Structures are given as C-alpha cells and as structure tokens.
C-alpha cells in the first residue's frame, strides 16, 4: 500500500477514504470497528468533509475553481510543449525552450498545484518575467505567444475575483482550512492503512488488507489514466 495520497485529486481522494471506512465497517470486520486509528480516520474525514462539501455546493467557490482551471490549462500546455522541445536537442527551438523552461522552474514547475494565494503570486511574477523583451522574443520564435496571452488574461480574471469579491475571500480561507484538514486526513489514512498492513498476518486483518488493497489499486489506476489523458490532451494543443 505504498501510495502518495497527495497526488490524488479531491474527488478521488474523498472516494478512497469513503471506501476504506465503509469496508472497515462491514460486519466481517466488526472486531476492528472501534480501533483507535479507524476512529481517528473517521473523525478526520468528518472534519474534512464539512469543508469539502460546503465548497462543492458553493456557487462562488465554483466560479473560483473555474477561474483557476482556466489559468492552469494554458500554463500546463505551455509547460508541456517546452518540455517536449527540451527533450529534442535537434529541434530548432531547443535552446529557446530550454531557457524559457528554466524560468518556469524558478517560479515552480508545479505552481498550479499550490493554494490559491501562492499560485496567484507566483503566476503573476512568472508572466511578468515572460513578458520581458528578451523572453518574449524567444517565446514568439517558438510560436507560444498565444498561450502566454491566454495565461495573462486568465490570471487577470482570477485576480479580479480574488480582490473584489468578499465571498470569494471567504472561500479562499475555506480553501486554506481544507488544505490543512486534507493533510490531517492523509496522515490518518496512512496510519490506518499502515496498521492494517502490519496486522495482515491475522485472519480478519488479512481479509481487510486484501479488500483495501483492491481499492487502492483501483483508485491509483484511475489516477494514472487521468494523468495520461491530460498529457495527451496537452500535446494536441
């Protein structure tokens, strides 16, 4: 059960935790139902769920999520295309792509996975750097200027929501809380699954271990398929 839970999107992660709890509460595993680590997992899940489901049902939150995705899409495409060129030394765009990619590295290759505050700050700084004349010329040569323009417009739209809507600011605070609660839930899930793995030499625990392992493999397989589709989609842009 060696999986990094932080790699999963929110929906997949919540689904995994739900399935682990539901399986652990099956009649066959009644002897485990009051184990302290399972109870901690339930408590952490209930706390995380309040924030997650309130955000899921918030119209303002949906606007914020949509605005964030609209800046992530061109950023990921821009990064992916550059990455393709720097793995082709014979490409006429190799040197320019390498230099521009190094700029992205300075501000964070995975800055789109950061919380809204950090991503907003880093994305703004990145765009300012890319717009400098010497960098803009290289980007134009690679024909990626439209993606930078799209990133810039999406970033401005997100900043408008961030700076002018009080309810969105509340959602951002909720997002911070959600991130903190998720870390606690990830730790609780890791501790519980680790304990199940240690105890799997006993009959009841062995059965539980097998069932939970099936869920982990299924969610990990789904995650890998999602990543593959995303990469292929970006390569087509």
């Amino acid at each position: 059960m060696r999986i990094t839970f932080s790699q999963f999107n929110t929906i997949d992660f919540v689904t995994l935790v739900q399935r682990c709890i539901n399986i652990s509460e099956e009649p066959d595993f009644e002897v485990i139902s009051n184990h302290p680590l399972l109870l901690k997992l339930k408590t952490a899940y209930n706390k995380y769920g309040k924030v997650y489901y309130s955000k899921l049902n918030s119209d303002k939150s949906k606007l914020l999520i949509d605005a964030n995705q609209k800046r992530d899409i061109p950023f990921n495409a821009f990064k992916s295309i550059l990455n393709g060129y720097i793995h082709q030394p014979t490409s006429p765009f190799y040197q320019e792509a390498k230099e521009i990619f190094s700029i992205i590295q300075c501000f964070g290759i995975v800055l789109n996975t950061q919380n809204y505050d950090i991503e907003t700050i880093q994305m703004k700084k990145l765009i300012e750097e890319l717009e400098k004349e010497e960098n803009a010329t290289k980007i134009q040569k690679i024909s990626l200027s439209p993606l930078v323009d799209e990133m810039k417009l999406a970033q401005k739209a997100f900043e408008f929501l961030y700076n002018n809507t009080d309810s969105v600011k509340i959602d951002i605070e909720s997002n911070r809380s959600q991130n903190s609660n998720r870390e606690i839930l990830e730790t609780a899930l890791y501790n519980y699954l680790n304990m199940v793995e240690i105890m799997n030499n006993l009959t009841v625990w062995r059965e539980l271990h097998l069932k939970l392992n099936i869920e982990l493999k299924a969610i990990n397989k789904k995650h890998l398929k999602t990543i593959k589709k995303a990469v292929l989609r970006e390569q087509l842009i």
Side-chain angles (χ1 to χ4, degrees):
M1 298 186 191
R2 303 301 179 189
I3 296 178
T4 303
F5 302 124
S6 58
Q7 68 183 317
F8 297 137
N9 62 42
T10 303
I11 295 174
D12 287 345
F13 179 60
V14 168
T15 300
L16 174 61
V17 177
Q18 285 177 330
R19 290 293 299 138
C20 287
I21 290 175
N22 290 342
I23 290 171
S24 300
E25 290 181 331
E26 290 177 0
D28 290 345
F29 309 121
E30 187 176 358
V31 67
I32 302 167
S33 61
N34 288 318
H35 193 284
L37 290 181
L38 177 57
L39 295 178
K40 280 187 178 182
L41 177 61
K42 290 180 182 179
T43 300
Y45 172 71
N46 289 335
K47 188 173 182 181
Y48 179 77
K50 288 180 181 179
V51 178
Y52 170 65
Y53 287 112
S54 64
K55 284 176 65 61
L56 197 62
N57 295 321
S58 167
D59 290 337
K60 294 297 182 182
S61 182
K62 289 176 183 176
L63 286 175
L64 194 65
I65 291 170
D66 182 59
N68 185 55
Q69 288 178 338
K70 284 180 179 177
R71 63 179 178 176
D72 285 349
I73 290 172
F75 171 76
N76 286 330
F78 184 66
K79 181 176 63 175
S80 178
I81 294 170
L82 290 174
N83 190 49
Y85 284 134
I86 64 177
H87 283 88
Q88 300 177 44
T90 58
S91 168
F93 304 132
Y94 171 77
Q95 189 58 40
E96 288 81 5
K98 186 177 179 181
E99 292 172 5
I100 298 301
F101 195 80
S102 67
I103 294 174
I104 297 178
Q105 288 178 312
C106 292
F107 295 98
I109 290 296
V110 292
L111 69 84
N112 57 299
T113 66
Q114 301 295 324
N115 64 47
Y116 292 149
D117 288 337
I118 294 176
E119 181 176 351
T120 299
I121 293 170
Q122 293 300 92
M123 184 75 78
K124 184 175 182 178
K125 290 179 179 178
L126 171 62
I127 292 171
E128 289 174 352
E129 190 67 26
L130 296 178
E131 287 186 317
K132 289 183 178 179
E133 186 176 353
E134 64 271 26
N135 296 324
T137 300
K138 297 171 187 174
I139 293 169
Q140 187 173 18
K141 182 178 178 180
I142 311 174
S143 300
L144 293 180
S145 299
L147 277 177
V148 175
D149 291 339
E150 189 177 343
M151 284 167 55
K152 183 179 179 180
L153 289 172
Q155 172 70 10
K156 285 185 176 180
F158 187 91
E159 285 184 28
F160 178 82
L161 284 174
Y162 179 90
N163 294 321
N164 295 286
T165 310
D166 291 337
S167 55
V168 168
K169 292 180 181 179
I170 293 173
D171 284 336
I172 290 172
E173 291 299 326
S174 178
N175 186 65
R176 289 198 189 100
S177 176
Q178 184 188 27
N179 289 340
S180 175
N181 288 336
R182 170 154 176 162
E183 290 175 5
I184 293 171
L185 183 55
E186 285 177 6
T187 299
L189 181 60
Y190 173 81
N191 289 339
Y192 177 63
L193 294 178
N194 191 46
M195 182 268 298
V196 173
E197 189 165 14
I198 291 171
M199 299 291 288
N200 75 11
N201 59 320
L202 301 177
T203 303
V204 175
W205 291 92
R206 188 182 305 120
E207 292 299 317
L208 177 60
H209 179 268
L210 288 172
K211 284 196 171 187
L212 295 180
N213 217 18
I214 290 172
E215 293 299 326
L216 283 167
K217 287 180 179 178
I219 207 78
N220 195 45
K221 186 176 181 180
K222 180 178 181 294
H223 170 69
L224 293 175
K225 282 185 178 179
T226 301
I227 290 178
K228 187 176 181 180
K229 287 181 181 178
V231 170
L232 290 174
R233 186 166 55 250
E234 287 179 3
Q235 289 175 345
L236 293 173
I237 294 176

